[in-house]
Amino acid sequence: MSEDKKSVLQEYKLESDNELRFEVETKGEKVYLTLKNGLAEIFGTELVKAKTYEFTAGAKVAVFTWQGCTIEVKGKTDVIYIAKETPMVVYSNCHAALEIMRSVNEKNNKRGPIAMVVGPTDVGKSTLCRILLNYAVRMGRRPIFVDLDVGQGNISIPGTVGALVIERPASIDEGFSQEAPLVYNFGHKSPGTNSKLYGMITNQLATTLKERLEINKRTKHSGVIINTCGWIKNEGYKQILQAGEAFEVDVIMVLDQERLYNELVRDMPSYVNVVFLQKSGGVVEISKSTRSENRDQRIREYFYGTPKNQLYPHPFDLKWSEIKLFKIGAPPLPDSCLPHGMKPGDNLTKLVPLTPNVGILHHILAVSFAEKPDDEVILSHVIGFICVTNVDTDRQTISVLSPQPKPLPNHILVLSELQFMDSH
């Protein structure tokens, strides 16, 4: 099949174990896809026959069939082709192995398998997590999805880590339902910006998750799928080991990095099953500019929703006296100036009070669950996020964009380095 740009209407006949891959032009029109006959799925979610699915600019799609099917595609694509070599059979075998572990543990009333997906950037970690979660849900399970990739923000906005109970397959275009996630604010686009803080909130998320797994038997037996970021060297590798220990993982799936696989086999306890997997041939590298645009889009969707599920955020003013604003991390002190017993890295997790100023304009603020401004703010999960749209130093007010109307559910706010320019 030609990889030239296709327009208008095309019909593709796929044989068993084939995959139709296409990308929608970043500044192009929408592309429409319809399953005419047979059975097919997109990242583990089954397609409904004769239903038309809509894909917008920048979408990267892979339609897989186990038994053969006919697909109709309408619109202009950047690239479209049928792949006969795909890792879907291997990914399905991984799901089957996890399902056997779930069944055995369910009989013994033990928690289900905790699996972590690791590898460098742009190898399809998020996609593999989505496939495994969708397959689990289709078996009647209720697994928990944990996202430790602060640069992407699959569960909340970028700059956070979080967990979400998955109760139904992801919708083809909107992904998983985002109801009632457990979210911790990190406030940076990369774990390396403050690796000590990242380790602390990862451990806190793991501790909270263990408690919640004990509450619901169905979720407990279904286990956990953990997505990680692409930082895999030096300090990043240490973070992978730390996360593996904190979440007490049973399985680590390593995508497309034999060196990382061998290091984990060497360093992880013998009871952890480390598996090497090939990445899909359809995975493409994402440029820095596209990554930045994707982050902006995730934040925009948090406030305004998607074309199919529009939200209407609320602008209002807050008096400086109504809020307590903090940032996490103070400038480092020379070793000679450190108080007795304080280590050089301790400043990275110090809670610093802030007076609102023009420097916070367009920044995201996390609304904390913490009841009082002490160290629990750092390890507290968050209620949600607001964006600063104006700072009036004369009136001592800030204007914010909020998903819900005034008043704020809590007055303790934490500054994030992430910014959002509200163009609505």
Side-chain angles (χ1 to χ4, degrees):
M1 185 61 62
S2 166
E3 294 197 15
D4 296 335
K5 291 183 181 181
K6 299 285 181 185
S7 189
V8 200
L9 190 68
Q10 294 284 330
E11 194 170 89
Y12 298 87
K13 292 189 185 299
L14 279 68
E15 296 174 5
S16 60
D17 295 351
N18 281 189
E19 198 166 67
L20 178 69
R21 298 171 183 162
F22 66 87
E23 295 175 31
V24 184
E25 291 186 324
T26 49
K27 293 182 180 175
E29 305 161 12
K30 293 174 181 174
V31 170
Y32 302 91
L33 180 147
T34 310
L35 175 65
K36 303 301 285 183
N37 60 57
L39 298 171
E41 59 186 50
I42 293 179
F43 307 135
T45 301
E46 290 181 288
L47 294 175
V48 177
K49 193 183 291 184
K51 179 179 177 180
T52 298
Y53 298 91
E54 181 184 292
F55 298 94
T56 53
K60 295 174 178 62
V61 183
V63 186
F64 180 79
T65 178
W66 291 102
Q67 295 151 326
C69 67
T70 303
I71 301 285
E72 186 180 86
V73 179
K74 184 180 180 183
K76 189 179 282 188
T77 56
D78 238 358
V79 63
I80 187 163
Y81 63 99
I82 293 174
K84 297 189 176 180
E85 299 271 331
T86 91
M88 282 298 294
V89 174
V90 176
Y91 294 171
S92 174
N93 288 341
C94 289
H95 156 70
L98 292 172
E99 188 56 33
I100 289 168
M101 293 169 78
R102 290 183 188 113
S103 298
V104 171
N105 290 4
E106 189 172 16
K107 285 176 186 172
N108 299 317
N109 195 28
K110 294 181 179 177
R111 66 157 174 76
I114 296 183
M116 187 163 74
V117 178
V118 302
T121 52
D122 303 332
V123 292
K125 295 187 295 297
S126 301
T127 301
L128 176 56
C129 288
R130 180 167 170 167
I131 291 166
L132 294 173
L133 289 162
N134 277 330
Y135 282 174
V137 171
R138 284 163 62 179
M139 297 292 290
R141 305 294 185 181
R142 286 185 59 184
I144 290 180
F145 174 41
V146 170
D147 189 23
L148 302 180
D149 185 357
V150 294
Q152 199 164 296
N154 281 308
I155 287 177
S156 182
I157 65 169
T160 63
V161 300
L164 184 68
V165 177
I166 306 298
E167 298 181 332
R168 62 186 73 90
S171 74
I172 297 293
D173 43 7
E174 302 271 313
F176 291 112
S177 169
Q178 304 281 310
E179 289 173 23
L182 173 67
V183 177
Y184 289 86
N185 179 55
F186 174 60
H188 304 281
K189 293 173 272 194
S190 165
T193 309
N194 190 339
S195 57
K196 186 169 184 184
L197 175 64
Y198 181 76
M200 282 176 65
I201 62 171
T202 298
N203 286 348
Q204 184 61 37
L205 175 58
T207 301
T208 309
L209 192 69
K210 284 176 206 166
E211 294 168 0
R212 298 203 173 185
L213 276 173
E214 294 302 319
I215 296 170
N216 185 299
K217 274 194 175 182
R218 194 164 156 206
T219 297
K220 174 184 174 180
H221 299 147
S222 299
V224 182
I225 304 289
I226 304 169
N227 182 41
T228 59
C229 63
W231 188 33
I232 59 170
K233 292 181 181 175
N234 303 321
E235 184 62 33
Y237 179 69
K238 290 178 188 172
Q239 293 288 357
I240 291 173
L241 293 178
Q242 183 184 324
E245 183 181 348
F247 285 97
E248 298 175 2
V249 298
D250 305 294
V251 181
I252 299 179
M253 301 177 198
V254 184
L255 277 169
D256 194 51
Q257 179 70 261
E258 285 190 352
R259 177 179 169 177
L260 178 61
Y261 164 75
N262 285 296
E263 287 174 335
L264 288 168
V265 169
R266 178 193 69 204
D267 295 334
M268 291 304 293
S270 58
Y271 58 80
V272 177
N273 193 358
V274 184
V275 185
F276 178 76
L277 302 173
Q278 296 284 352
K279 71 174 180 179
S280 168
V283 173
V284 293
E285 280 192 30
I286 300 172
S287 67
K288 276 190 176 180
S289 60
T290 302
R291 211 177 290 279
S292 179
E293 286 168 15
N294 289 346
R295 274 195 291 269
D296 286 345
Q297 182 63 23
R298 286 293 295 161
I299 298 172
R300 187 174 291 107
E301 287 173 0
Y302 176 80
F303 290 107
Y304 288 100
T306 61
K308 284 193 173 179
N309 182 26
Q310 291 191 5
L311 303 175
Y312 300 93
H314 303 265
F316 53 80
D317 291 347
L318 292 168
K319 292 177 184 174
W320 294 4
S321 57
E322 293 177 326
I323 59 174
K324 291 190 185 305
L325 179 63
F326 299 91
K327 72 169 186 171
I328 299 171
L333 289 169
D335 289 0
S336 58
C337 299
L338 289 173
H340 180 67
M342 187 176 177
K343 297 173 185 172
D346 289 351
N347 64 294
L348 294 171
T349 55
K350 183 176 171 62
L351 194 66
V352 182
L354 284 181
T355 300
N357 58 77
V358 291
I360 68 170
L361 185 62
H362 303 307
H363 277 261
I364 299 294
L365 305 180
V367 183
S368 176
F369 260 112
E371 294 179 8
K372 51 187 185 297
D374 57 16
D375 277 345
E376 72 172 295
V377 172
I378 295 171
L379 297 179
S380 174
H381 53 292
V382 297
I383 303 169
F385 300 90
I386 57 177
C387 178
V388 181
T389 56
N390 188 44
V391 180
D392 190 327
T393 50
D394 294 331
R395 293 174 55 228
Q396 295 205 335
T397 60
I398 60 170
S399 302
V400 299
L401 191 69
S402 168
Q404 65 181 55
K406 201 174 181 179
L408 287 178
N410 198 2
H411 64 287
I412 294 177
L413 308 175
V414 182
L415 180 69
S416 167
E417 78 160 6
L418 278 93
Q419 294 178 273
F420 173 60
M421 301 285 283
D422 183 21
S423 55
H424 276 71

